[in-house]
Amino acid sequence: MYGSEVEGVHLRFGAVARGGLRWSDRAQDYRTEVLGLVKAQQVKNAVIVPVGAKGGFYPKRLPPANQRDLWFEAGRQAYINFVSSLLSITDNIGIDHVVPPAGVVRHDADDPYFVVAADKGTATFSDTANAISEKHGFWLDDAFASGGSAGYDHKKMGITAKGAWEAVKRHFREMNRDIQTSPFTVVGVGDMSGDVFGNGMLLSEQTKLIAAFDHRVIFIDPEPDVVDAFAERKRMFDLPRSSWQDYDKSKLSKNGVIVSRNQKSITLPAAAAAAIGLAKSTATPAEIMTAILKAPVDLLWFGGIGTYVKAVSETNQDVGDRANDPIRVNAIDLRAKVIGEGANLGVTQRGRIEFGLAGGRNNSDAIDNSGGVNCSDVEVNIKIALASAMRKGSLARPARNKLLAEMTDEVGNLVLSNNYEQTLALSLARKRGLADIAHQGRFMAALEARGLLDRAVETLPSPAALAEREARGEPLTRAELGVLLAYAKIVLFSDIVASDVPDDAHFNTDLTGYFPERMVKKFNEEIHGHRLRREIIARVVANDLVNRGGPSFTNRLMEATGRSAADVVRTFAVIRDGFGLPALYNEINALDNKIDGQVQIDLYQIVSRLIFVTAGWYLKNDAGTAPLSQRIAELQEARKALEPKLVSLLSDFSRERLEEKRHGLFKVGTPDKLAERLALADVAELIPDIALTSRLAGSDIVAAAKAFFAVSEAFRIPRIEEAARSVTPPDYYDQLALSRATDTIGAARRGIAVAALAQHGKAADPVAAWLEAGGERIARVRERLQALTEGGDITVSRLSVASGLMSDLIGA
């Protein structure tokens, strides 16, 4: 968009897209600025319904900046001009059809979804944008710009900071530190008037803020009193405007200082210099701020605008933020244990990777501060649903506004649950480490083959670099995994929308789960008639599947089974709801800060294995033609019939192993009932196979289970399975061979059990009768299997031989 007073650009990745509009001060390269931001936005939007978008405008006729009010109003008028121009060529929606803009020739399809969000310089413009929307009679009304006077105020909610704080808490929790109950040290960029910095520094009363700086002032408090300092930060946050100069200096610890950045040099007390790790007392402001960034503290918290950390391999010119060139540091020189990137682009992606490889704990800005964009999207979708009720006359605007306000806390909790689960997904992927690297490489290759990924643009390793990383024992960092996680969600979302998955009535629960409960009760019809119903379902399900399965989950299963993404999604739903996994996850979540952080990750991994193994079984053995609700009900019924009896049906060997697992889990703090269920997970994953055995043999499911486990014991299959779980081949094709071997053994076990039940169903022990009838041939196979499982370490080759022996028996 070009004009005499303003020019701008708006970029988006799809027809349903959202992102902020930025007041840019970069006359020559605002387009480059927006391009960089929209790429980050696309990754950040992986948790919400719309894909990424970003806009920027540059006002060309601003009065001098010292005329603050005139300068601000001129910028607002430029914003009005920019947004009005964009809306003037945007399709609208009438009562029941799309209405193209008058006098506009369209070369594209109907395209009515256009929303804007706050960004740098436009945080207070939501009502202005919604007034433009109203003037144009735009169908989104005041859902056009979230966060207005009848929307969710991000700063009042503190939602962006709270979302990033979920990430910070997780980092420390996995180091067995609870930062809500124990003091921790922080340095940061920002001040208490800012949304993300201010809210962030009020999220734990145990925060010891050692130092911070913004564009005006440097603040150092070497030994803060956590109670007094917290109260003073809260007082400043509540002021209409503030800077660090407003901090009550009587609340500073001894040797604390608050100084302007404009001085040529600053002499610090020795204690203040020591607190930030500065080796000298007199230094320039740039040197002091650099020292703050590199201070030896627990947390480095970004809440201000600018890029302050890069990789050694990058130049300041590469970063593209000239204002902060004098103080920018290399990630390898950081001494903070954790980075919380509440603000955008505080660290370059290469810098994040460098910090992670050096042992630091961090994500990316797209992961850490996604809470804000998530909250905005929930608000827009709530308003779209409620607009339907308003058009029907069943909801007046004042009543709607009251309902929006009453749902604030619930909306916040819905958003924060996404932050919690997404950062957990990264922890699980990081814990699997090198075991997943081959699958991650194949996932990247699959994305490239579809033209969806450019590794260089996303700072992901090339195949050669990935092989070198694997050889050095360096798995992908959290920053890299965050990109893969986002791409997994983005691609799966598109695949789900293109399928008939969202049309399955079973996923209505996922649809309603997206909205606050009190809204579901009153406006269920409007929710089910939502214009973006399919997209909301696709986003919720994609988030859930990728969070629980990991970035390469879908691609790995598609490659292994030849099934479609839609088949994987339906199978995941069968397992999730058939095994009642949400309740199980909640039980593990409840152990936050109660058990060792890494042990808790191991508990989640047990559930992850159950999902992956069972999903593989279903995709290979179940055509999936039955209705989804029927498939789930069948699994639930099989569990109900078998789970109370499973332990009694196992062999002595399996029961002993089960008890060892249960006791081991209990010993590290897992509640008894949860330990019992998790210990049983390796057996529970066999339930679908037992149910299939029952159907094929036409027998009672308990009888089928007895035969199934009798075959297992006769051929020492539990020992083979246990050994197979301990084998982790680094080579992708060795992994395939291992999977093929275990699948073949499983199919043989089922086939033998079915044969035994069919041929000797009336015998007291059908399997014993089948074995006896098989004579010496079966006896020899059993002897060879025993030799294979006891004669040294189990290898892929041994398992392949064992699977061949078992397979030969099916026709016996």
Side-chain angles (χ1 to χ4, degrees), residues 90-113:
T90 300
D91 294 337
N92 204 352
I93 297 178
I95 295 174
D96 57 1
H97 63 286
V98 171
V99 180
V104 173
V105 177
R106 300 190 304 164
H107 295 284
D108 59 351
D110 290 344
D111 191 10
Y113 190 92

Short mmCIF file of all heavy atoms in Angstrom, two decimals, residues 90-113:
data_model
loop_
_atom_site.label_atom_id
_atom_site.label_comp_id
_atom_site.label_asym_id
_atom_site.label_seq_id
_atom_site.Cartn_x
_atom_site.Cartn_y
_atom_site.Cartn_z
N THR A 90 -11.02 -5.87 0.60
CA THR A 90 -11.24 -7.16 1.25
C THR A 90 -12.70 -7.58 1.09
O THR A 90 -13.61 -6.76 1.29
CB THR A 90 -10.88 -7.08 2.75
OG1 THR A 90 -9.51 -6.73 2.88
CG2 THR A 90 -11.14 -8.41 3.46
N ASP A 91 -12.94 -8.84 0.75
CA ASP A 91 -14.30 -9.36 0.66
C ASP A 91 -15.00 -9.27 2.00
O ASP A 91 -14.38 -9.38 3.06
CB ASP A 91 -14.28 -10.82 0.21
CG ASP A 91 -13.76 -10.98 -1.20
OD1 ASP A 91 -13.80 -10.01 -1.98
OD2 ASP A 91 -13.28 -12.09 -1.53
N ASN A 92 -16.31 -9.12 1.96
CA ASN A 92 -17.13 -9.08 3.18
C ASN A 92 -18.11 -10.25 3.15
O ASN A 92 -18.21 -10.97 2.15
CB ASN A 92 -17.89 -7.74 3.25
CG ASN A 92 -18.29 -7.37 4.66
OD1 ASN A 92 -18.14 -8.16 5.59
ND2 ASN A 92 -18.80 -6.16 4.83
N ILE A 93 -18.83 -10.46 4.23
CA ILE A 93 -19.85 -11.50 4.29
C ILE A 93 -21.18 -10.87 4.62
O ILE A 93 -21.30 -10.13 5.61
CB ILE A 93 -19.49 -12.58 5.35
CG1 ILE A 93 -18.19 -13.28 4.97
CG2 ILE A 93 -20.62 -13.60 5.47
CD1 ILE A 93 -17.75 -14.32 5.99
N GLY A 94 -22.17 -11.15 3.76
CA GLY A 94 -23.52 -10.69 4.02
C GLY A 94 -24.27 -11.69 4.88
O GLY A 94 -23.67 -12.43 5.65
N ILE A 95 -25.58 -11.74 4.73
CA ILE A 95 -26.40 -12.64 5.55
C ILE A 95 -26.05 -14.10 5.27
O ILE A 95 -25.88 -14.90 6.18
CB ILE A 95 -27.90 -12.39 5.29
CG1 ILE A 95 -28.27 -10.98 5.76
CG2 ILE A 95 -28.76 -13.44 6.01
CD1 ILE A 95 -29.68 -10.57 5.43
N ASP A 96 -25.88 -14.44 4.00
CA ASP A 96 -25.61 -15.84 3.70
C ASP A 96 -24.65 -16.02 2.52
O ASP A 96 -24.58 -17.08 1.91
CB ASP A 96 -26.92 -16.58 3.40
CG ASP A 96 -27.70 -15.96 2.25
OD1 ASP A 96 -27.21 -14.96 1.68
OD2 ASP A 96 -28.79 -16.46 1.93
N HIS A 97 -23.90 -14.97 2.16
CA HIS A 97 -22.99 -15.11 1.04
C HIS A 97 -21.86 -14.08 1.15
O HIS A 97 -21.95 -13.11 1.90
CB HIS A 97 -23.73 -14.93 -0.29
CG HIS A 97 -24.31 -13.57 -0.46
ND1 HIS A 97 -25.44 -13.15 0.22
CD2 HIS A 97 -23.92 -12.50 -1.22
CE1 HIS A 97 -25.74 -11.90 -0.11
NE2 HIS A 97 -24.82 -11.49 -0.98
N VAL A 98 -20.79 -14.32 0.39
CA VAL A 98 -19.65 -13.40 0.36
C VAL A 98 -19.98 -12.23 -0.55
O VAL A 98 -20.52 -12.41 -1.66
CB VAL A 98 -18.37 -14.12 -0.11
CG1 VAL A 98 -17.24 -13.13 -0.37
CG2 VAL A 98 -17.95 -15.16 0.92
N VAL A 99 -19.63 -11.02 -0.10
CA VAL A 99 -19.89 -9.80 -0.87
C VAL A 99 -18.55 -9.18 -1.28
O VAL A 99 -17.80 -8.70 -0.43
CB VAL A 99 -20.69 -8.77 -0.02
CG1 VAL A 99 -20.94 -7.51 -0.86
CG2 VAL A 99 -21.99 -9.38 0.48
N PRO A 100 -18.21 -9.21 -2.56
CA PRO A 100 -16.95 -8.61 -3.01
C PRO A 100 -16.99 -7.09 -2.85
O PRO A 100 -18.06 -6.48 -2.88
CB PRO A 100 -16.86 -9.00 -4.49
CG PRO A 100 -17.89 -10.07 -4.68
CD PRO A 100 -18.95 -9.82 -3.67
N PRO A 101 -15.83 -6.44 -2.68
CA PRO A 101 -15.81 -4.98 -2.59
C PRO A 101 -16.22 -4.35 -3.92
O PRO A 101 -15.88 -4.88 -4.99
CB PRO A 101 -14.35 -4.65 -2.25
CG PRO A 101 -13.57 -5.84 -2.69
CD PRO A 101 -14.49 -7.02 -2.54
N ALA A 102 -16.96 -3.26 -3.84
CA ALA A 102 -17.45 -2.61 -5.06
C ALA A 102 -16.29 -2.04 -5.86
O ALA A 102 -15.32 -1.51 -5.30
CB ALA A 102 -18.43 -1.49 -4.68
N GLY A 103 -16.39 -2.17 -7.18
CA GLY A 103 -15.40 -1.56 -8.06
C GLY A 103 -14.04 -2.21 -8.03
O GLY A 103 -13.05 -1.59 -8.40
N VAL A 104 -13.99 -3.47 -7.57
CA VAL A 104 -12.70 -4.17 -7.48
C VAL A 104 -12.76 -5.42 -8.36
O VAL A 104 -13.71 -6.20 -8.28
CB VAL A 104 -12.39 -4.57 -6.01
CG1 VAL A 104 -11.14 -5.44 -5.96
CG2 VAL A 104 -12.19 -3.33 -5.17
N VAL A 105 -11.78 -5.59 -9.22
CA VAL A 105 -11.68 -6.79 -10.03
C VAL A 105 -10.91 -7.84 -9.23
O VAL A 105 -9.78 -7.59 -8.80
CB VAL A 105 -10.95 -6.51 -11.37
CG1 VAL A 105 -10.78 -7.80 -12.17
CG2 VAL A 105 -11.71 -5.48 -12.17
N ARG A 106 -11.51 -9.00 -9.01
CA ARG A 106 -10.89 -10.06 -8.20
C ARG A 106 -10.28 -11.13 -9.10
O ARG A 106 -10.94 -11.63 -10.01
CB ARG A 106 -11.92 -10.70 -7.28
CG ARG A 106 -12.58 -9.75 -6.30
CD ARG A 106 -13.40 -10.50 -5.26
NE ARG A 106 -14.40 -11.36 -5.87
CZ ARG A 106 -15.04 -12.35 -5.23
NH1 ARG A 106 -14.77 -12.59 -3.96
NH2 ARG A 106 -15.93 -13.09 -5.85
N HIS A 107 -9.05 -11.45 -8.82
CA HIS A 107 -8.39 -12.54 -9.54
C HIS A 107 -8.21 -13.76 -8.65
O HIS A 107 -7.57 -14.73 -9.04
CB HIS A 107 -7.01 -12.08 -10.06
CG HIS A 107 -7.10 -10.99 -11.09
ND1 HIS A 107 -7.46 -11.23 -12.40
CD2 HIS A 107 -6.91 -9.66 -10.98
CE1 HIS A 107 -7.46 -10.09 -13.07
NE2 HIS A 107 -7.14 -9.11 -12.23
N ASP A 108 -8.75 -13.68 -7.43
CA ASP A 108 -8.64 -14.81 -6.50
C ASP A 108 -10.04 -15.25 -6.07
O ASP A 108 -11.05 -14.65 -6.46
CB ASP A 108 -7.79 -14.44 -5.28
CG ASP A 108 -8.35 -13.25 -4.50
OD1 ASP A 108 -9.30 -12.61 -5.00
OD2 ASP A 108 -7.85 -12.97 -3.40
N ALA A 109 -10.10 -16.28 -5.27
CA ALA A 109 -11.39 -16.80 -4.79
C ALA A 109 -11.90 -15.92 -3.63
O ALA A 109 -11.23 -14.98 -3.21
CB ALA A 109 -11.21 -18.24 -4.31
N ASP A 110 -13.10 -16.25 -3.14
CA ASP A 110 -13.64 -15.54 -1.98
C ASP A 110 -12.62 -15.55 -0.85
O ASP A 110 -12.00 -16.58 -0.56
CB ASP A 110 -14.93 -16.21 -1.49
CG ASP A 110 -16.09 -16.02 -2.46
OD1 ASP A 110 -15.99 -15.13 -3.33
OD2 ASP A 110 -17.09 -16.75 -2.33
N ASP A 111 -12.45 -14.38 -0.22
CA ASP A 111 -11.35 -14.24 0.74
C ASP A 111 -11.74 -13.21 1.82
O ASP A 111 -11.16 -12.13 1.89
CB ASP A 111 -10.09 -13.79 -0.03
CG ASP A 111 -8.84 -13.88 0.81
OD1 ASP A 111 -8.88 -14.46 1.91
OD2 ASP A 111 -7.80 -13.35 0.37
N PRO A 112 -12.70 -13.55 2.70
CA PRO A 112 -13.22 -12.55 3.62
C PRO A 112 -12.54 -12.48 4.99
O PRO A 112 -12.87 -11.61 5.79
CB PRO A 112 -14.68 -12.99 3.79
CG PRO A 112 -14.61 -14.48 3.69
CD PRO A 112 -13.51 -14.78 2.69
N TYR A 113 -11.63 -13.40 5.28
CA TYR A 113 -11.05 -13.42 6.63
C TYR A 113 -9.86 -12.47 6.70
O TYR A 113 -8.82 -12.69 6.08
CB TYR A 113 -10.61 -14.84 7.02
CG TYR A 113 -10.23 -14.97 8.49
CD1 TYR A 113 -11.18 -15.34 9.43
CD2 TYR A 113 -8.94 -14.70 8.93
CE1 TYR A 113 -10.84 -15.46 10.78
CE2 TYR A 113 -8.60 -14.81 10.26
CZ TYR A 113 -9.55 -15.18 11.19
OH TYR A 113 -9.21 -15.28 12.52
#
